[in-house]
Amino acid sequence: MVAACGESREARVQFSFTEAAEPVPVTIIKSDTTTTALGYRVAQLHVFLPALATEAVARATLQHLIDSVAVADTLSAGIHVVAFVIDDFDPVTGEATLVQSMSALWAPTDSIGITGSVRTARFMTTFTVHRAFPDDDSAQGER
């Protein structure tokens, strides 16, 4: 038996599409490993992004870093990458203030299957934008 409703349903989840971009070289500020309460290793990276990086470039770069660390550190059950950009620069002293622009967390969708070097769990990368990026179109025109 099939039943149909006459009213149309609005989509409750919305996705945005960003054109693919190539990762850019970054400077690693910090590389460390922490342990969760359950004893799982989580690799942590803090990186410095170029000033004109767009959101698409930042996503591609952080995902590339995550993929690289996941291949090299097979015991990590998660990877957390935080990207920084220059906020204020004092040309007299040469000092700059860095602020978070984006972070990415690569983690399993559940804890099942994370044992030793065997990864049977499904992993997902979640991006969080902490600061607005220049528009993709305007930044490409400046290059």
Side-chain angles (χ1 to χ4, degrees):
M1 175 180 265
V2 177
C5 179
E7 66 184 63
S8 64
R9 294 183 177 215
E10 294 293 324
R12 293 187 180 154
V13 177
Q14 295 181 356
F15 296 95
S16 62
F17 176 78
T18 304
E19 287 292 328
E22 292 294 318
V24 296
V26 295
T27 302
I28 297 177
I29 302 169
K30 176 185 173 187
S31 176
D32 199 4
T33 302
T34 60
T35 305
T36 66
L38 296 175
Y40 297 120
R41 287 171 39 113
V42 176
Q44 293 189 340
L45 289 172
H46 290 183
V47 298
F48 176 65
L49 281 175
L52 295 177
T54 63
E55 183 176 341
V57 168
R59 284 177 187 266
T61 302
L62 296 187
Q63 187 62 56
H64 179 72
L65 287 168
I66 287 171
D67 294 343
S68 299
V69 172
V71 168
D73 188 357
T74 58
L75 296 179
S76 282
I79 301 168
H80 185 229
V81 182
V82 180
F84 293 88
V85 293
I86 290 179
D87 184 33
D88 291 322
F89 177 71
D90 184 357
V92 175
T93 62
E95 294 181 2
T97 304
L98 298 180
V99 294
Q100 287 185 16
S101 58
M102 178 180 277
S103 61
L105 177 62
W106 180 76
T109 55
D110 58 35
S111 61
I112 298 172
I114 306 174
T115 55
S117 62
V118 178
R119 292 184 181 151
T120 57
R122 293 179 186 242
F123 285 76
M124 180 175 71
T125 303
T126 306
F127 295 93
T128 304
V129 177
H130 300 284
R131 182 184 178 151
F133 284 88
D135 292 336
D136 289 333
D137 296 334
S138 64
Q140 288 177 0
E142 295 175 2
R143 289 186 186 165

